[in-house]
Amino acid sequence: MIIFTTITNAYDRIPDHYYDPDVKYVLFYDEDIEQKGPWEFIRIPKGGDPVLKSYRIRTLSHLYFNEPHVWIDACYTMTPEFVKNSREFLSYPIVLHKHPEGRTLLGEFLKLYTWGFVPEDILYECGRDIASTGYKPSMFDHTINCCIWRQVTPQVIDFNVEYWRWYEQYRLYHGCQITSAIAEYLAFGKNVPRSPLMVDLSKKYRAKQYDTSYNFVENVSDISRFKNNMRRILGAAF
């Protein structure tokens, strides 16, 4: 089993993890960071969008590994239970991490609009493309993709490719739950298994503030207009 992560733009610090001697740990990074723990540190080129660089490795994992592997966001701490449960989850081709405070698909689009993560016109375009696939908002089972468990199978590779394609095309920063949802629909035709929450979300080992990697332009008006427009596009109830 491989557990992997990325730290781009020196955004995170490595927590004090539990390390299992039978697990291989791989960390991709671009800027100088404090290196500690039994990770295989793989340097990637500097420059470019640090978020996209990280997400490309996260999503297209089959390009880097040919055995069962686990993604974890670099800021969260691994425990013995995390490793134990990961081995169990890898009996499935893929397992996604269920969000503890799930939103609807429309609610997730509303979050992206309200906090200015994605321009309004891009959100409408993405919504229209999702609707064109036949995906139904009622299928949306909100995940939190700080952890993903995958084998390497043809369907998982299809999932990875779609996950990256939709994320890259629409730059859905803080909206990868939408892109993974449409990817699992296109690759599997259904929702894949979910895990319960496996990390402590309240403890994040960040080295930088969000605004060093993301641009925020909060939308404080016209929320109702956006909600109604997106509801019509998706055919969704709020």
Side-chain angles (χ1 to χ4, degrees), residues 171-184:
R171 302 292 203 269
L172 292 188
Y173 298 158
H174 289 276
C176 67
Q177 299 90 342
I178 295 174
T179 54
S180 64
I182 190 63
E184 64 179 329

Side-chain angles (χ1 to χ4, degrees), residues 5-7 11-15 17 72-78 146 200-201 203-207 210:
T5 193
T6 64
I7 298 179
Y11 186 49
D12 298 313
R13 295 180 289 114
I14 299 174
H17 294 296
I72 183 169
D73 279 11
C75 63
Y76 294 117
T77 304
M78 293 181 288
C146 57
D200 186 347
L201 298 177
K203 296 179 180 178
K204 299 180 181 180
Y205 287 78
R206 300 291 193 201
Y210 273 118

Side-chain angles (χ1 to χ4, degrees), residues 40-80:
E40 176 185 350
F41 291 93
I42 299 177
R43 187 139 205 169
I44 59 178
K46 294 182 180 181
D49 186 319
V51 179
L52 283 181
K53 282 197 297 185
S54 177
Y55 267 91
R56 186 179 189 279
I57 294 170
R58 177 204 301 239
T59 56
L60 299 177
S61 58
H62 61 283
L63 300 181
Y64 306 93
F65 310 111
N66 58 11
E67 60 187 274
H69 52 276
V70 182
W71 164 269
I72 183 169
D73 279 11
C75 63
Y76 294 117
T77 304
M78 293 181 288
T79 63

Side-chain angles (χ1 to χ4, degrees), residues 135 139 155 180-181 183-194:
Y135 183 84
M139 295 181 62
Q155 280 187 302
S180 64
E184 64 179 329
Y185 169 71
L186 293 173
F188 296 95
K190 61 181 181 180
N191 291 335
V192 302
R194 301 292 196 257

Side-chain angles (χ1 to χ4, degrees), residues 2-102:
I2 294 172
I3 295 177
F4 76 108
T5 193
T6 64
I7 298 179
T8 54
N9 197 31
Y11 186 49
D12 298 313
R13 295 180 289 114
I14 299 174
D16 293 325
H17 294 296
Y18 165 78
Y19 293 105
D20 187 297
D22 295 323
V23 174
K24 180 178 181 180
Y25 297 90
V26 179
L27 191 154
F28 299 86
Y29 71 104
D30 55 0
E31 303 287 344
D32 292 339
I33 58 172
E34 179 188 4
Q35 298 188 10
K36 64 178 184 178
W39 297 91
E40 176 185 350
F41 291 93
I42 299 177
R43 187 139 205 169
I44 59 178
K46 294 182 180 181
D49 186 319
V51 179
L52 283 181
K53 282 197 297 185
S54 177
Y55 267 91
R56 186 179 189 279
I57 294 170
R58 177 204 301 239
T59 56
L60 299 177
S61 58
H62 61 283
L63 300 181
Y64 306 93
F65 310 111
N66 58 11
E67 60 187 274
H69 52 276
V70 182
W71 164 269
I72 183 169
D73 279 11
C75 63
Y76 294 117
T77 304
M78 293 181 288
T79 63
E81 290 74 22
F82 180 87
V83 175
K84 174 181 178 293
N85 289 325
S86 290
R87 288 194 172 98
E88 296 177 4
F89 298 154
L90 287 173
S91 64
Y92 298 94
I94 183 171
V95 173
L96 299 180
H97 204 198
K98 189 171 181 64
H99 202 294
E101 300 175 358

Side-chain angles (χ1 to χ4, degrees), residues 88-172:
E88 296 177 4
F89 298 154
L90 287 173
S91 64
Y92 298 94
I94 183 171
V95 173
L96 299 180
H97 204 198
K98 189 171 181 64
H99 202 294
E101 300 175 358
R103 287 180 287 271
T104 64
L105 178 60
L106 183 56
E108 189 67 4
F109 271 105
L110 186 61
K111 177 198 76 175
L112 297 179
Y113 172 78
T114 301
W115 293 104
F117 292 133
V118 183
E120 182 176 358
D121 60 326
I122 299 300
L123 292 174
Y124 290 147
E125 182 183 351
C126 181
R128 285 190 288 268
D129 280 356
I130 288 175
S132 73
T133 69
Y135 183 84
K136 304 299 182 186
S138 59
M139 295 181 62
F140 188 73
D141 185 13
H142 196 192
T143 60
I144 181 166
N145 296 333
C146 57
C147 303
I148 307 175
W149 296 265
R150 280 169 286 191
Q151 297 183 23
V152 182
T153 70
Q155 280 187 302
V156 170
I157 292 173
D158 288 344
F159 167 86
N160 287 353
V161 171
E162 293 294 340
Y163 187 14
W164 169 245
R165 182 174 71 85
W166 285 77
Y167 190 89
E168 180 189 31
Q169 181 172 347
Y170 293 108
R171 302 292 203 269
L172 292 188

